[in-house]
Amino acid sequence: MFTVRRWWDRYGPRFFVTGLVLAAALFLRQTQGAFVSELYYRMVQSFQPGPTPQERWADARVSELETKLVNIEQQNQKLQELLDYTETYQGELIAAPVIGRSVDHWWKQVTLGRGSTSGIKTGYVVSSPGGLVGRVIKVTPNTSRVLLASDPTSKVGGKIARNNFMGYIRGEGSDTAVMEFFDKVPDVKPGDKIVTSPVSYLFPAGIPIGTVETVDLEKSPAPEVVVKFTAPFDYLEWVVVHPFESRL
Amino acid sequence: MLRFLDFSPRFRSFCNWLIVVGSILLCLMILPTRLPGTELLGIRPNWLLIWVVVWSVKRNAYQGAIAGIALGLIQDGLTAFDGVPMVDGIMPPNFEGSEGSTTDLLLSYPSHVITLMLVGILTAKIQKQRYIQEDFISIALIVFGMAVVAETITAIQYSIQGLRNITLVWTEHQRIALSSAILSSLWAPVLYYPLNRWWEYMSDRDQSL
């Protein structure tokens, strides 16, 4: 008893403080830093950018429209056949400013300045002028965290806009990504537009993703194609959030 | 106020906690921003790592480890995606691939806890008195080394879990480790100078009483 008492007298306060610190940190871990995100939102609110910088995105916008057009032409041709073709966008779109970047270089995420009070939910899909940006992975009342399509853990089901060859696009941490096809010999050439595929669980069909840069059909086990994202990940300032329930 | 600070140890210790928590919050607030001058090739300084180094440099390994674990947990929270289906399940009609529809990445994801804990312990274990002078340059050097160590540990974690393409991880590692080490070491004095002044003042006062 005495030794316990002496131990406590000596190490008790330290033990207590350590426990407190770790408990606080664990709390932040479990809530995925919701408190920090909210605080950050309050901080940057005064530095918010004004209206959208339209000019800078003019090029990206044109590219997006081109991609959409190719897709729609193809969609028109095959509308009767594609009975399971789902609605591209459902519900009302939410515009949101990008207020922060990922807190670690290995992760490709952005923080948006709108959250559950604006109706955003986890799993909603984010796009910008240019095309697909990513998916909402965490929502707090005023902020939401988005996993970019360029993150190496992100896999997006995609297809070539002008035909139906499908595959998935794996982020590489930069503004290009690798697309792997399911078919052995897909009909693909540089310049092809890639859109999200209609069989993807996590994304609505038909959102432009990028343009094919190089093609390597010899790659084993599946042909590999380098895709350049049309969304300007480095200059994102405003994005659009599409309500979407994942089909899982 | 200053007089009061001088003579009341309780108030001083309260202020110390305020400064510690405040400086961590400040780091957390700077982390997602892109302040001009803090970016090199799209990489920004690792503020939490700087904080852990500044904290551990004059403390023992135990204190360094606890700080590393705590900040690691917080950073894990800020990057985590708990319970979110991650890998897009694409089911082509006749593709017998190995891609699962969803994968729970929670456990297999690299953690900042290990990284920052090791940084804390290593920094505390460096025998500064013997090898390195106590000044800005040495802090910058330690931060440089620790940033490289930290990114390497992350890269090793990625390589072990095999979620990413390994060659990609290591090319990325070169880019990230170098830029992050340079930037972090250049920005380290910004955090080190005020905190060190405060802690020196604290220990002066505590000893004189």
Side-chain angles (χ1 to χ4, degrees):
Chain A
M1 194 62 214
F2 181 66
T3 41
V4 170
R5 180 72 188 271
R6 205 170 55 181
W7 182 89
W8 181 253
D9 278 349
R10 188 148 174 228
Y11 295 110
R14 188 204 265 197
F15 195 68
F16 180 72
V17 166
T18 306
L20 206 67
V21 166
L22 288 185
L26 202 63
F27 171 75
L28 282 178
R29 168 66 186 83
Q30 286 316 105
T31 55
Q32 294 188 42
F35 165 72
V36 176
S37 311
E38 282 294 306
L39 194 68
Y40 179 71
Y41 172 74
R42 304 269 170 238
M43 288 261 303
V44 298
Q45 221 173 7
S46 42
F47 304 107
Q48 271 308 295
T52 48
Q54 292 295 348
E55 284 116 27
R56 194 189 293 179
W57 289 348
D59 286 347
R61 179 83 193 153
V62 169
S63 187
E64 181 199 8
L65 291 176
E66 261 177 26
T67 312
K68 273 187 180 162
L69 191 67
V70 174
N71 186 44
I72 285 168
E73 280 172 355
Q74 188 265 346
Q75 189 184 333
N76 271 342
Q77 279 176 11
K78 299 202 167 183
L79 207 54
Q80 288 96 337
E81 299 160 46
L82 294 174
L83 285 172
D84 60 340
Y85 199 94
T86 41
E87 202 60 45
T88 309
Y89 300 139
Q90 10 168 299
E92 209 172 302
L93 306 182
I94 306 157
V98 174
I99 58 169
R101 300 258 138 195
S102 48
V103 297
D104 191 294
H105 324 299
W106 294 91
W107 278 256
K108 297 287 171 194
Q109 301 174 350
V110 294
T111 309
L112 308 182
R114 298 268 187 283
S116 54
T117 45
S118 312
I120 297 180
K121 289 194 192 120
T122 310
Y124 278 16
V125 170
V126 179
S127 77
S128 80
L132 184 73
V133 169
R135 213 156 56 88
V136 175
I137 53 172
K138 165 76 186 168
V139 183
T140 72
N142 286 306
T143 67
S144 38
R145 196 139 45 80
V146 175
L147 183 82
L148 298 181
S150 62
D151 189 281
T153 52
S154 154
K155 272 185 185 173
V156 183
K159 76 177 192 76
I160 301 174
R162 66 183 165 83
N163 53 37
N164 253 333
F165 285 102
M166 280 186 246
Y168 59 85
I169 290 148
R170 180 160 42 80
E172 297 232 292
S174 61
D175 61 349
T176 57
V178 166
M179 180 162 182
E180 279 170 33
F181 284 92
F182 300 130
D183 300 271
K184 213 66 192 136
V185 191
D187 170 19
V188 55
K189 57 180 190 293
D192 276 347
K193 305 290 183 189
I194 306 292
V195 297
T196 49
S197 114
V199 292
S200 159
Y201 294 132
L202 305 175
F203 296 91
I207 297 184
I209 301 174
T211 316
V212 173
E213 269 203 340
T214 58
V215 176
D216 180 7
L217 293 178
E218 307 296 307
K219 180 88 178 181
S220 166
E224 201 179 78
V225 161
V226 175
V227 175
K228 190 169 178 11
F229 288 112
T230 34
F233 288 126
D234 285 344
Y235 313 106
L236 288 177
E237 278 182 41
W238 282 83
V239 293
V240 179
V241 181
H242 308 270
F244 181 75
E245 297 290 330
S246 84
R247 284 188 285 264
L248 278 175
Chain B
M1 172 84 180
L2 269 176
R3 293 274 292 268
F4 196 54
L5 208 59
D6 274 350
F7 291 109
S8 163
R10 238 164 223 280
F11 182 63
R12 217 165 34 235
S13 133
F14 172 73
C15 279
N16 187 37
W17 275 102
L18 221 60
I19 285 176
V20 167
V21 173
S23 60
I24 293 176
L25 275 180
L26 192 72
C27 287
L28 287 174
M29 294 297 106
I30 305 176
L31 221 48
T33 54
R34 309 168 108 186
L35 294 176
T38 62
E39 222 177 6
L40 186 68
L41 302 171
I43 310 274
R44 283 155 295 138
N46 193 342
W47 290 98
L48 292 183
L49 179 121
I50 300 177
W51 198 93
V52 171
V53 169
V54 169
W55 167 268
S56 322
V57 104
K58 283 183 183 169
R59 285 179 174 76
N60 60 38
Y62 165 80
Q63 288 167 312
I66 294 297
I69 293 172
L71 291 196
L73 280 172
I74 296 174
Q75 199 172 7
D76 271 2
L78 288 174
T79 50
F81 16 86
D82 298 353
V84 180
M86 283 312 307
V87 178
D88 197 1
I90 331 147
M91 281 201 307
N94 44 16
F95 174 64
E96 290 167 20
S98 55
E99 296 304 325
S101 57
T102 53
T103 317
D104 194 5
L105 301 175
L106 184 57
L107 290 175
S108 58
Y109 224 60
S111 162
H112 298 94
V113 175
I114 306 169
T115 317
L116 289 179
M117 187 181 75
L118 269 175
V119 166
I121 295 174
L122 283 179
T123 313
K125 283 276 177 201
I126 297 177
Q127 304 242 301
K128 287 166 293 289
Q129 312 84 326
R130 216 189 298 168
Y131 301 116
I132 308 176
Q133 297 284 312
E134 189 72 52
D135 60 16
F136 285 12
I137 308 292
S138 63
I139 288 296
L141 275 177
I142 297 174
V143 170
F144 189 94
M146 290 304 154
V148 174
V149 169
E151 302 302 350
T152 310
I153 296 171
T154 312
I156 291 172
Q157 288 188 61
Y158 269 123
S159 310
I160 290 172
Q161 50 152 278
L163 193 77
R164 285 184 173 197
N165 183 348
I166 290 187
T167 44
L168 194 73
V169 165
W170 289 99
T171 36
E172 187 129 309
H173 167 257
Q174 285 174 9
R175 188 175 66 93
I176 291 179
L178 198 62
S179 322
S180 141
I182 292 171
L183 275 174
S184 303
S185 63
L186 287 178
W187 280 94
V190 173
L191 211 58
Y192 174 72
Y193 185 71
L195 284 178
N196 188 47
R197 273 298 283 272
W198 167 253
W199 283 326
E200 266 175 5
Y201 167 79
M202 280 278 291
S203 65
D204 273 6
R205 280 291 125 197
D206 288 346
Q207 270 158 23
S208 67
L209 279 175

